Amino acid sequence: MAPGGGVLYDVIESRPKYLKYDVEMEKTVKTNTRASNSGLYELLECPVCATLMYPPILQCPNGHTLCSNCKTRVQSCCPICGFEMGSIRCLALEKVAELLELPCRYRSLGCHDNFPYYSKLKHEKNCRFRPYKCPYAGSACSVTGKIPELVAHLKDEHCVDLHDGSTFNHRYVKSNPHEVENATWMLTVFKCYGKQFCLHFEAFNLGMAPFYISFLRFMGEETEAKKFSYSLEIGGGGRKLTWQGVPRSIRDGHRKVCDGLDGLVIPRNLALLFSGGNCQELKLRVTGRIWKEKQVIRN
């Protein structure tokens, strides 16, 4: 009885020790794996721009690697040893990269997925968590951020008017002929349905002919923008032009919207006719409305 009990006691006591050992081994393996991957990431960093390299990854005769974009920056000389950088590719390192998975660069903004090395860049170009660019037209503003941050930025830095409501009525006046030719309406932001919209008005040329265009952009993703519609109307002297459309996401730059003529397009001669007077002064009233499309419930 005693020997049997002793054996049973030893077995029961020994199992937690092996379980603890397994857990410790798993932690060690994970730590070593992370350390190994960290070392690989360092190998894949370009020594010039310090970003991850993608094919073609070039190498000098001594085996030092460089991304193809930086070859001209170093005048085709290896930044490590000074040897000439030819067109030799480091195929081994390119193959190793295929085995890696990397987190999205916008992890801190909410994207927690990992992606194969060569798929990461493609994902990041369209990641829904990537920050938005400042939508202010006519400036080289490089500020990016989330929508609430950009709204505050537009108000504080660009002195943009913020309005609540889904309807608007703007009067636009330019008395200087030069301003008439290069008219750019200061951006206006409207808040309705818990979202923000940007109203634009600016001059452009279609061929040699001068035009104006007014359009609305949605401060959010395109999938959300498609849930809304808007209308614009402009007129004077018993004449009017109307436009109805879907707001574009601010992911699309305002120049892209202009080039696509996706808005209320007004020939300058007609705009001046609407304005009355001596055809040298712009006096336009733009009215509009934003509404949310009803969702069709399907059984």
Side-chain angles (χ1 to χ4, degrees):
M1 184 71 176
V7 172
L8 180 59
Y9 179 81
D10 289 341
V11 171
I12 293 174
E13 285 294 305
S14 64
R15 289 188 64 183
K17 295 179 182 178
Y18 286 114
L19 288 173
K20 183 177 180 182
Y21 174 78
D22 291 340
V23 171
E24 292 299 325
M25 280 297 294
E26 184 178 353
K27 290 181 179 179
T28 302
V29 169
K30 288 182 178 179
T31 301
N32 290 339
T33 301
R34 284 195 295 267
S36 176
N37 285 343
S38 177
L40 289 175
Y41 299 158
E42 291 178 5
L43 287 176
L44 286 162
E45 281 187 357
C46 173
V48 176
C49 64
T51 59
L52 293 174
M53 297 183 289
Y54 293 86
I57 299 176
L58 304 177
Q59 66 177 11
C60 76
N62 287 327
H64 302 126
T65 55
L66 183 75
C67 78
S68 57
N69 292 332
C70 288
K71 183 180 178 181
T72 54
R73 295 176 62 182
V74 297
Q75 300 179 339
S76 297
C77 290
C78 175
I80 306 299
C81 64
F83 271 75
E84 182 179 356
M85 295 291 301
S87 299
I88 303 173
R89 290 175 63 173
C90 187
L91 298 177
L93 194 56
E94 290 180 8
K95 284 289 186 181
V96 168
E98 291 181 358
L99 305 176
L100 296 178
E101 284 195 350
L102 299 175
C104 174
R105 65 183 297 185
Y106 304 120
R107 175 179 289 270
S108 62
L109 298 178
C111 184
H112 300 298
D113 293 328
N114 292 326
F115 300 90
Y117 190 88
Y118 293 135
S119 300
K120 179 173 175 286
L121 281 183
K122 182 178 180 181
H123 159 77
E124 289 174 348
K125 288 181 180 179
N126 299 292
C127 179
R128 65 189 182 93
F129 292 99
R130 70 192 189 280
Y132 296 92
K133 295 180 180 179
C134 173
Y136 192 79
S139 76
C141 185
S142 60
V143 169
T144 61
K146 295 181 179 180
I147 298 302
E149 297 167 350
L150 287 184
V151 171
H153 164 75
L154 288 169
K155 179 182 178 182
D156 298 337
E157 300 298 327
H158 296 298
C159 300
V160 167
D161 290 332
L162 307 180
H163 296 275
D164 289 333
S166 58
T167 60
F168 47 89
N169 186 337
H170 276 278
R171 183 171 173 79
Y172 187 48
V173 178
K174 291 288 183 182
S175 57
N176 185 313
H178 177 72
E179 290 180 342
V180 170
E181 293 178 2
N182 301 284
T184 298
W185 197 350
M186 182 177 290
L187 178 70
T188 307
V189 174
F190 297 91
K191 180 180 180 182
C192 55
Y193 304 104
K195 306 293 183 180
Q196 284 81 20
F197 301 82
C198 300
L199 178 64
H200 295 264
F201 181 97
E202 60 186 78
F204 73 104
N205 287 324
L206 190 57
M208 297 297 293
F211 282 80
Y212 300 114
I213 185 170
S214 184
F215 55 89
L216 200 72
R217 286 199 293 166
F218 176 74
M219 296 188 72
E221 293 299 309
E222 181 182 0
T223 53
E224 284 289 310
K226 291 179 178 179
K227 297 178 181 179
F228 297 90
S229 294
Y230 74 100
S231 63
L232 295 174
E233 181 177 302
I234 190 168
R239 307 167 180 88
K240 67 179 180 180
L241 285 177
T242 59
W243 163 266
Q244 181 174 318
V246 177
R248 298 280 284 271
S249 166
I250 58 172
R251 295 289 190 199
D252 292 334
H254 80 285
R255 178 50 50 195
K256 181 178 179 180
V257 182
C258 286
D259 292 344
L261 304 180
D262 194 2
L264 178 61
V265 179
I266 316 151
R268 184 180 297 164
N269 289 341
L270 184 57
L272 293 174
L273 182 62
F274 287 162
S275 302
N278 58 6
C279 293
Q280 292 292 317
E281 186 176 28
L282 196 65
K283 292 182 179 179
L284 294 178
R285 184 180 298 277
V286 178
T287 60
R289 181 171 70 93
I290 306 167
W291 67 92
K292 192 170 186 179
E293 294 291 352
K294 294 181 179 179
Q295 295 182 349
V296 178
I297 300 176
R298 297 178 179 178
N299 295 326

